[in-house]
Amino acid sequence: MTSNTPHPVRDVLIVGAGFAGLYAVHAFRRAGLDVVCLEAGSDVGGTWYFNRYPGARCDVESVDYSYSFDEDLQNEWVWSERYATQPEILAYIHHVADRFDLRRHVLLERRVTAARFDEHASRWTVRTAGGEEHRARYLLFATGSLSAPNRPDIPGADEFAGDTYFTARWPEPGPSLAGKRVGVIGTGSSAIQSVPILAREADSLTVFQRTANYSVPALNRPLTDEDQRRIRAEYPARRAKARASGGGSPHESYPKRAVECTPEEREAALEAGWRNGGVLFGKTFPDQFTDITANDYAREFAERKIREIVRDPVTARDLIPTDHPIGTKRICTDSGYFETFNKDTVALVNLRREPITRITPRGVETTAALYELDVLVYATGFDAMTGALTRIDITGARGRSITEAWADGPVTYLGVQIPGFPNLFTVNGPGAPSVLSNMVLTAEQQVDWLVGLLQHADGAGATQVEVRDDAAVKWTDHVQQAADATLFPRANSWYLGANIPGKPRRFMPYVAGLGAYRQRCEEVREDGYEGFVFT
Ligand code: N01
């Protein structure tokens, strides 16, 4: 179809063909709706299509970070490792797209640049970078929480004579780094995963760190046949537990609060949590996110581990965070990150002591030195949760733009709808458990719930579904209050927009967890979708 041929008006237009968007294609089609999905990438996969940097893998266990909607799919797919690599996750997404014949609904290389609601016709018109227009009754943004890369505004960045890469846009095939002097800016999860591998490939590696991060060894391992048998036997119970949990995984904290334990008991529980590996160390004790004393125990334990691993005491001190309780920024997981700094070819530059002044053709200049480089890697994060939407020119009812509506931070109802934007929905957006939970399970739950909402609207003969202002404000306040009852707001994290200069500070994900969120959604449904207006 050429860009001049008008496309038919669809029931549902989905933006993004990652985990959430593909499930939405499946679920809305199953409900008898006519669906099209626009994807910016050259293939499906979303986050797992774009983030193909060396070492990229998920920090949620593969058997949990996978679809649960089809038992046969769940039982036939064999994950090879405890934590799946990006290529394996992408292969899984391709398998799902083919197995459920989803690709015929997906139009690739269609980056959505604008969306406008026509109040009289009750339909959305969406425009792509290529100039196409698509129309639909309902518009669903499944554009991801961490999909709008942050490109820091560093003077001279364009003058660098070497090669520049972003972890979030790593080329395929990846570049050879043999014999190269490589620099990495950033020390979040993406950097922490890639640094050990970059250090193995490059001649030398310089890591530019502004803020140190906590990281726990992933302790990844292959899944054995015995693991596979056990997982299959336990799957139904495992999923049920995950759905009722806070983080969307079947994790159980230590049965006692940290502050009630003897020092020996506490140490043993923390050691067991560390030996279990991964992000769940951040939830070793049930009071770790709410009681600073409990958090301090875990924080000090993790800091001791860093000192034990890193031989140079100055480097070890620089690698220990000083500005946030452990876990209040997404805890990182690694395979040999801290050990990498024991290599002679690896250097850490503490940007708090010597800030970057500019990038020159030869490398990165700080107040103390010029670090000459052949390759510069930006692992500088994302305009999280809102960036994917605010970078699109979205105009809702009464001519109001999304940037106006969210000028003071994102306002949503249940993380699925924005007041003033009828018939537009979001998955894993602000106000939902999203990034604090298992994104695959939360996407399934939200999409299923939205299918019910649209069926309800159709049953009522409504052509527009719009959340009431007061319901959205009340929910958004509740999301903030839930965060305020924890230690999360003590960190300058991307959860509250602190990583993007000028972004309003509002805690965006819903910390009360998937179980509580599901329950609230059920109550709203049972109350006839209380909070929404159907016209
Ligand atoms: O991004 P980040 P990420 N000068 O925002 C630094 C998920 N994820 O892509 O903290 C110098 O965490 C910035 O420094 P500072 C996961 O949820 C998951 O690594 O702003 N430095 C920081 O160190 C994660 O939390 C997985 O001072 C600059 C870094 O860049 C989220 O994605 C893997 C700078 C950005 O860290 C984001 O992780 C990867 C500047 N001008 C990602 N600007 C797994 O599942 C920024 N920085 C394992």
Side-chain angles (χ1 to χ4, degrees):
M1 197 176 279
T2 70
S3 58
N4 297 326
T5 313
H7 293 268
V9 180
R10 309 288 187 167
D11 289 322
V12 186
L13 194 156
I14 298 158
V15 186
F19 264 112
L22 285 176
Y23 179 64
V25 169
H26 176 69
F28 285 115
R29 185 183 62 183
R30 190 176 50 191
L33 296 168
D34 175 31
V35 184
V36 69
C37 175
L38 304 182
E39 164 56 48
S42 304
D43 208 338
V44 299
T47 282
W48 300 104
Y49 168 84
F50 285 106
N51 286 269
R52 40 182 88 217
Y53 58 85
R57 50 172 94 233
C58 188
D59 59 5
V60 179
E61 293 196 36
S62 48
V63 296
D64 298 316
Y65 191 81
S66 49
Y67 290 117
S68 69
F69 69 87
D70 187 280
E71 223 168 292
D72 292 339
L73 168 69
Q74 183 165 277
N75 286 323
E76 78 198 13
W77 183 265
V78 178
W79 291 105
S80 67
E81 293 179 86
R82 185 180 179 201
Y83 296 104
T85 59
Q86 173 270 332
E88 189 169 14
I89 298 172
L90 194 56
Y92 171 77
I93 294 173
H94 285 180
H95 170 75
V96 173
D98 294 335
R99 191 186 190 286
F100 294 92
D101 189 22
L102 305 177
R103 286 183 186 273
R104 69 191 163 89
H105 299 274
V106 181
L107 299 176
L108 300 170
E109 297 181 354
R110 306 301 206 282
R111 178 166 290 284
V112 169
T113 54
R116 176 172 283 275
F117 187 61
D118 179 337
E119 287 162 74
H120 303 293
S122 300
R123 72 173 57 139
W124 280 92
T125 300
V126 162
R127 211 174 160 76
T128 68
E132 283 182 359
E133 283 194 351
H134 296 263
R135 291 164 300 153
R137 294 163 56 209
Y138 296 108
L139 176 59
L140 178 73
F141 280 99
T143 35
S145 303
L146 296 157
S147 52
N150 169 38
R151 294 165 188 262
D153 188 13
I154 303 176
D158 293 339
E159 290 160 29
F160 181 57
D163 297 322
T164 297
Y165 301 107
F166 282 80
T167 49
R169 292 289 180 271
W170 200 258
E172 168 81 355
S176 166
L177 302 176
K180 304 269 172 70
R181 298 163 301 175
V182 177
V184 178
I185 300 181
T187 47
S189 294
S190 302
I192 283 177
Q193 285 188 323
S194 54
V195 155
I197 297 171
L198 299 178
R200 279 204 289 276
E201 291 179 5
D203 207 34
S204 67
L205 183 72
T206 308
V207 179
F208 296 92
Q209 170 190 280
R210 192 165 62 182
T211 312
N213 249 314
Y214 292 102
S215 185
V216 177
L219 302 187
N220 185 39
R221 60 176 176 80
L223 292 174
T224 62
D225 291 348
E226 178 46 35
D227 290 327
Q228 305 289 359
R229 270 192 294 278
R230 182 180 44 78
I231 289 159
R232 265 150 200 70
E234 288 174 357
Y235 238 142
R238 188 175 181 113
R239 293 297 200 181
K241 211 165 162 185
R243 289 192 191 101
S245 73
S249 76
H251 170 72
E252 278 175 26
S253 295
Y254 194 71
K256 250 161 111 176
R257 298 192 305 139
V259 293
E260 291 170 341
C261 295
T262 62
E264 296 74 24
E265 188 180 9
R266 211 161 36 229
E267 184 73 8
L270 288 167
E271 187 63 38
W274 191 267
R275 285 179 187 279
N276 185 42
V279 287
L280 295 173
F281 177 78
K283 295 182 178 178
T284 304
F285 291 106
D287 49 349
Q288 217 164 293
F289 277 117
T290 48
D291 184 333
I292 192 66
T293 307
N295 191 283
D296 280 344
Y297 293 132
R299 186 182 57 71
E300 283 160 13
F301 181 93
E303 292 173 4
R304 255 186 283 139
K305 292 288 184 190
I306 298 174
R307 278 190 216 98
E308 282 168 20
I309 298 169
V310 181
R311 285 200 285 271
D312 173 48
V314 175
T315 307
R317 198 190 61 208
D318 285 348
L319 285 167
I320 292 175
T322 54
D323 68 332
H324 63 281
I326 188 166
T328 54
K329 282 184 164 184
R330 176 74 174 179
I331 218 165
C332 304
T333 62
D334 68 274
S335 299
Y337 176 67
F338 293 115
E339 289 83 346
T340 301
F341 292 93
N342 291 333
K343 289 187 167 189
D344 294 339
T345 51
V346 176
L348 181 72
V349 176
N350 183 340
L351 298 179
R352 298 283 174 197
R353 264 202 306 275
E354 43 171 311
I356 295 177
T357 47
R358 60 180 294 109
I359 292 173
T360 77
R362 289 159 62 200
V364 173
E365 187 182 272
T366 69
T367 50
L370 169 67
Y371 297 89
E372 296 202 29
L373 302 169
D374 305 305
V375 174
L376 182 55
V377 176
Y378 289 85
T380 44
F382 302 88
D383 183 352
M385 307 209 67
T386 55
L389 294 174
T390 55
R391 288 180 187 188
I392 298 172
D393 178 13
I394 303 175
T395 309
R398 302 167 285 282
R400 193 155 193 242
S401 72
I402 186 124
T403 43
E404 285 165 345
W406 282 1
D408 297 326
V411 178
T412 73
Y413 184 48
L414 298 172
V416 296
Q417 209 189 34
I418 307 156
F421 294 79
N423 294 13
L424 181 155
F425 303 97
T426 55
V427 189
N428 275 331
S434 62
V435 291
L436 290 177
S437 182
N438 172 346
M439 308 271 281
V440 185
L441 291 193
T442 54
E444 287 181 336
Q445 181 267 340
Q446 286 195 306
V447 168
D448 288 345
W449 193 87
L450 286 171
V451 168
L453 178 75
L454 299 198
Q455 285 172 332
H456 180 86
D458 280 352
T463 57
Q464 291 192 25
V465 182
E466 184 174 1
V467 63
R468 289 197 326 263
D469 271 349
D470 63 308
V473 168
K474 193 171 164 200
W475 176 256
T476 303
D477 286 347
H478 170 64
V479 170
Q480 184 64 52
Q481 283 156 9
D484 289 342
T486 71
L487 303 172
F488 275 102
R490 296 200 191 188
N492 283 320
S493 67
W494 56 256
Y495 295 141
L496 43 70
N499 66 324
I500 301 295
K503 189 165 171 172
R505 282 173 83 99
R506 176 168 293 167
F507 201 86
M508 296 181 281
Y510 183 47
V511 297
L514 181 57
Y517 177 78
R518 291 174 71 91
Q519 196 180 332
R520 182 65 199 134
C521 288
E522 269 317 290
E523 289 162 5
V524 170
R525 186 184 63 77
E526 282 165 12
D527 280 351
Y529 295 98
E530 195 271 322
F532 291 97
V533 178
F534 299 88
T535 51

